[in-house]
Each structure stands twice: as C-alpha cells, then as structure tokens.
Amino acid sequence: MGMDATSLPTRQRILYATAELFRRQGYTGTGLKQIVAEAQAPFGSVYHHFPGGKQELADEVIHAGGAFFQALVSAVYDAEPNPEASIRAVFEGAAETLRATDFQDACPIATVALEVASTNEPLRLVTAEVFERWTQALSDRLGDRDRAQAVLAALEGAFILARAQRSIEPMLAAGRMAADYAGRS
Amino acid sequence: MGMDATSLPTRQRILYATAELFRRQGYTGTGLKQIVAEAQAPFGSVYHHFPGGKQELADEVIHAGGAFFQALVSAVYDAEPNPEASIRAVFEGAAETLRATDFQDACPIATVALEVASTNEPLRLVTAEVFERWTQALSDRLGDRDRAQAVLAALEGAFILARAQRSIEPMLAAGRMAADYAGRS
DNA sequence: GTCTATAGAAGGATAGAC
DNA sequence: GTCTATCCTTCTATAGAC
C-alpha cells in the first residue's frame, strides 16, 4: 500500500491514510498530524473536509472498512458457494494477507473497536453496526446466525493471536475449526 | 472494582490501576496522569517504582494479567476436567463477567496486544509470550495444540464482538462452537 | 478550497526538595 | 521512599491569510 499524492482528491487521500493508520496503530495511537503527513495534505484540510474532526473521520473510516471487508468476503463466497470450502478460503486468504503485509493488515476495525468500546459511545455504535452487518451477511450464507457469529469470532480472535505472535498458525487452526463447524449439518 | 488507597503499597496500587485502565482503554488511550490519579499515588512514584516508565509498567501489567487469566481458566478446568464441559464453562463465565461489568472487563491484554503489534516490538514480544503460555496450558488440557489455538481465538474474538455490540450472544455462540470442537474425538 | 500559524490542553519524562 | 514542580513534546482544534 502507501497511497501516493497522485491524482486522488485530498479528501480521499486523507481517508485512505487514516484507514491504514487506524488499522495498524489504532485510534488513540494515531495523530491527525501523522495522518496529514501520510496523506500529503495540509493540516487544515482535515477540518475542512471533516468538520467533526478525528471522530467524524473515524466514523467514515470504520464504515468504509466495513464495506471493504464485506465485499472481500462476499467475493470469496461467490467464487465458492460451499460453506465449508468458502470459510476455509476466507481464513487462508486472511493468513496470506497477514504474511504478505508483515502481519500489519488484519481486521480493519478490530483495534479501534476495542479501544472505543468503553470510552467513546458514538464510535462504539459505529463498530457495532459494522459487526452486525458482517454477521447478517455471513448469516445469510450459512443460514444460521449463531454459527455466523461463532465463525466471525474465530476470525477476529485469530487476527489478534496471529499479529501478536507473528505467525499464521492460529489463523489456520481457527480456520479449520470454523470451516468444520460451518460445514456440519 | 476501583482499588482504594487502603493498605496496599503504592507500587501495587499503581499496578492494579494500570491493569484496569489498560484493559478498558488500551495502552495509548491511558495516560500516566490518569493512572496515578486512579491509584491515588504521587506522579513521581511511577518513575520511582518503574524506572522504565510507561513501557516497563505495561510489561509488568501484561505479565500479571496473563498469569491472572491463566489461573482463572485453570480453576475452571480443575473443577470440571471434561474438555467440552470446561470449555463451555469458560465461555459462560466470560459472558457473565462481561454482563456484570457492563461489558468493560474482557481479555486483560487484547486491546494492548493489537495496539502494540505493529508499533512497539518489546511489548509485542511480551503479549506473544503470554498468548503462547495460554496456548500451552490449553494444549496440555486438550492434548492438541491446534485445537487449543482455535479455542483461544474464538474466545478472543468473542470478547471483541461482545464488547462492541454489548451483548453476550457472540460469546455464547463462540462457546458452543469451541466446546463442540474441543469435545470431538 | 488550500494552507500556515497558533492556541490550549494533555502527553511522557525529569529534577530535586523533603 | 514520597511528593511537587516543571520541561519539552505532541495532541486536537481553531483562526485567518491567501
């Protein structure tokens, strides 16, 4: 990654940079100054395009990250409608992305979600909304809401363990469990 | 919770307050000033007892949180050695704790682990060490390292979903999957 | 719309009196 | 060992020139 100053409008460069930094460093760990530096934008542009400041920026980034991730998983599912095989493919794809990005790019919203869960109610609601949409989408595929939530939990937890241990082993282990569980009658 | 100024030595009051704040707000989201206020300790005590500052404090807190959580899970296991039943009990206990603490107290190190995974290599190593010990302990009980990692991933992910959605539903759903998986031959 | 400068608060860390 | 005062940096946010 590493979005250039090329062609993209300022507003979008800011959004991309914020998404990348929040994903890797979290909400409180990322400063607006770091964001504008990465986006190669002047500081004032943040408040011009996002009058609500850091929180409004986070709101948009969480929504966008949610949509992106959902599209990614849907693409895998459309290519392989069998529940067990597609779940396996999602976890293997996640493992490959982790490896390819030096264990930096995992769930786009997990770090922020944990940070804001008890400290920022408006943003907590946004993360809850995204998780609910993912659960719904998976639920539609699996035909079972409980299983969808369990599979999603396995994926999120595996991201934590994989990033901390810098190993794809937990992702593959969780994928076996989740695929197995999703594929049972 | 909310540790008083009672009896406990300054150093331990600081450790308790830090553990609570890191668990709920994360590493970057918690300031040393907030810690000493909560611990009812003078600011200088932090650097007297922890010359390495915030990072040394985090190192100790992560280790302590790891040991605490491991003891908790071990206690459940000793009371109910059957793998399937004990895993179910762990997830149900986690659900109860979440509910009782208004979804504030979940995994003692998850938020910090995600925050430091790509930003603070010394602390990442500490979180990796704790996760490895948990995996080992579970592995000994289940007799299978892969399953232990999958179960742990399900628990960690369920903590994220439950805190974000303020619902124990994901924890129970993940618990069913994990118990089921652990109990199979 | 773009960009600079700065305010005002909070961050981590240190010095040194007691 | 306890505690206060302070340094310097960084943070979010705003004002206002261009």
Side-chain angles (χ1 to χ4, degrees), chain A residues 87-99 103 154-155 157-159 161-162 165 167-180, chain B residues 145-151 153 181:
Chain A
I87 294 285
R88 196 179 304 274
V90 167
F91 280 76
E92 282 169 0
E96 174 54 26
T97 299
L98 282 169
R99 211 192 43 69
F103 296 92
L155 181 65
F159 273 134
L161 299 181
Q165 305 195 312
S167 161
I168 61 171
E169 191 193 358
M171 183 60 67
L172 300 179
R176 276 188 284 273
M177 171 178 67
D180 186 70
Chain B
R145 180 177 172 86
D146 262 27
R147 293 200 188 194
Q149 268 182 324
V151 168
Y181 192 61

Side-chain angles (χ1 to χ4, degrees), chain A residues 5 16 28 38 42 95 99 114 127 130 135 168 170:
Chain A
Y16 275 113
T28 53
E38 180 84 7
R99 211 192 43 69
L114 281 179
T127 64
V130 169
T135 303
I168 61 171

Side-chain angles (χ1 to χ4, degrees), chain B residues 23-123:
Chain B
R23 193 169 57 216
R24 300 181 176 187
Q25 312 182 339
Y27 182 73
T28 52
T30 302
L32 293 181
K33 300 199 173 154
Q34 190 182 4
I35 290 172
V36 297
E38 180 85 9
Q40 299 187 38
F43 189 82
S45 294
V46 173
Y47 286 89
H48 174 71
H49 292 289
F50 307 91
K54 195 181 190 184
Q55 180 156 317
E56 180 179 341
L57 195 44
D59 185 309
E60 275 210 42
V61 162
I62 293 166
H63 273 117
F68 174 79
F69 198 66
Q70 188 164 343
L72 202 113
V73 172
S74 291
V76 173
Y77 243 102
D78 291 338
E80 175 56 76
N82 174 265
E84 189 168 350
S86 57
I87 295 284
R88 196 179 305 273
V90 167
F91 280 76
E92 282 170 1
E96 174 55 25
T97 299
L98 282 169
R99 212 192 42 67
T101 62
D102 203 28
F103 295 92
Q104 291 198 97
D105 286 358
C107 173
I109 71 164
T111 310
V112 176
L114 281 179
E115 286 180 283
V116 304
S118 302
T119 60
N120 187 322
E121 185 63 8
L123 288 183

Side-chain angles (χ1 to χ4, degrees), chain A residues 23-30 102-104 110-111 113-115 117-119 121 124-125 127-133 135 145-147 149-161 163-167 169-170 172-174 176-178 180-181 184, chain B residues 23-30 102-104 110-111 113-115 117-119 121 124-125 127-133 135 145-147 149-161 163-167 169-170 172-174 176-178 180-181 184:
Chain A
R23 194 169 56 218
R24 301 181 176 187
Q25 310 182 340
Y27 182 73
T28 53
T30 302
D102 203 29
F103 296 92
Q104 291 198 98
T111 310
L114 281 179
E115 285 180 284
S118 302
T119 60
E121 186 63 7
R124 178 194 73 78
L125 285 169
T127 64
E129 183 190 338
V130 169
F131 283 135
E132 176 56 30
R133 282 189 196 165
T135 303
R145 180 177 171 83
D146 262 27
R147 292 200 188 196
Q149 268 181 324
V151 168
L152 189 53
L155 181 65
E156 289 293 342
F159 273 134
I160 299 183
L161 299 181
R163 287 190 70 197
Q165 305 195 312
R166 298 184 79 81
S167 161
E169 191 193 358
L172 300 179
R176 276 188 284 273
M177 171 178 67
D180 186 70
Y181 192 61
R184 293 217 274 151
Chain B
R23 193 169 57 216
R24 300 181 176 187
Q25 312 182 339
Y27 182 73
T28 52
T30 302
D102 203 28
F103 295 92
Q104 291 198 97
T111 310
L114 281 179
E115 286 180 283
S118 302
T119 60
E121 185 63 8
R124 178 193 74 77
L125 285 169
T127 65
E129 182 190 338
V130 168
F131 283 135
E132 176 56 28
R133 283 190 196 164
T135 302
R145 180 177 172 86
D146 262 27
R147 293 200 188 194
Q149 268 182 324
V151 168
L152 189 53
L155 181 65
E156 290 293 340
F159 273 134
I160 299 184
L161 300 180
R163 287 190 71 198
Q165 305 195 311
R166 298 184 78 82
S167 161
E169 192 194 357
L172 300 180
R176 277 188 283 273
M177 172 179 67
D180 187 70
Y181 192 61
R184 293 216 274 151

Side-chain angles (χ1 to χ4, degrees), chain A residues 9-178:
Chain A
T10 302
R11 186 188 151 86
Q12 291 220 4
R13 288 206 313 281
I14 292 174
L15 280 173
Y16 275 113
T18 305
E20 179 171 325
L21 292 169
F22 279 7
R23 194 169 56 218
R24 301 181 176 187
Q25 310 182 340
Y27 182 73
T28 53
T30 302
L32 293 181
K33 304 218 167 133
Q34 191 182 4
I35 289 172
V36 296
E38 180 84 7
Q40 300 189 37
F43 189 81
S45 294
V46 173
Y47 285 89
H48 173 73
H49 293 289
F50 308 92
K54 194 181 189 181
Q55 180 157 317
E56 181 179 340
L57 195 45
D59 185 308
E60 275 210 41
V61 162
I62 293 166
H63 273 118
F68 174 78
F69 197 66
Q70 189 164 341
L72 201 113
V73 172
S74 290
V76 173
Y77 244 103
D78 291 338
E80 173 56 75
N82 174 265
E84 189 168 350
S86 57
I87 294 285
R88 196 179 304 274
V90 167
F91 280 76
E92 282 169 0
E96 174 54 26
T97 299
L98 282 169
R99 211 192 43 69
T101 63
D102 203 29
F103 296 92
Q104 291 198 98
D105 286 358
C107 174
I109 72 164
T111 310
V112 176
L114 281 179
E115 285 180 284
V116 304
S118 302
T119 60
N120 188 321
E121 186 63 7
L123 288 183
R124 178 194 73 78
L125 285 169
V126 179
T127 64
E129 183 190 338
V130 169
F131 283 135
E132 176 56 30
R133 282 189 196 165
W134 290 353
T135 303
Q136 271 296 333
L138 245 186
S139 207
D140 290 346
R141 308 278 188 166
L142 297 180
D144 184 331
R145 180 177 171 83
D146 262 27
R147 292 200 188 196
Q149 268 181 324
V151 168
L152 189 53
L155 181 65
E156 289 293 342
F159 273 134
I160 299 183
L161 299 181
R163 287 190 70 197
Q165 305 195 312
R166 298 184 79 81
S167 161
I168 61 171
E169 191 193 358
M171 183 60 67
L172 300 179
R176 276 188 284 273
M177 171 178 67

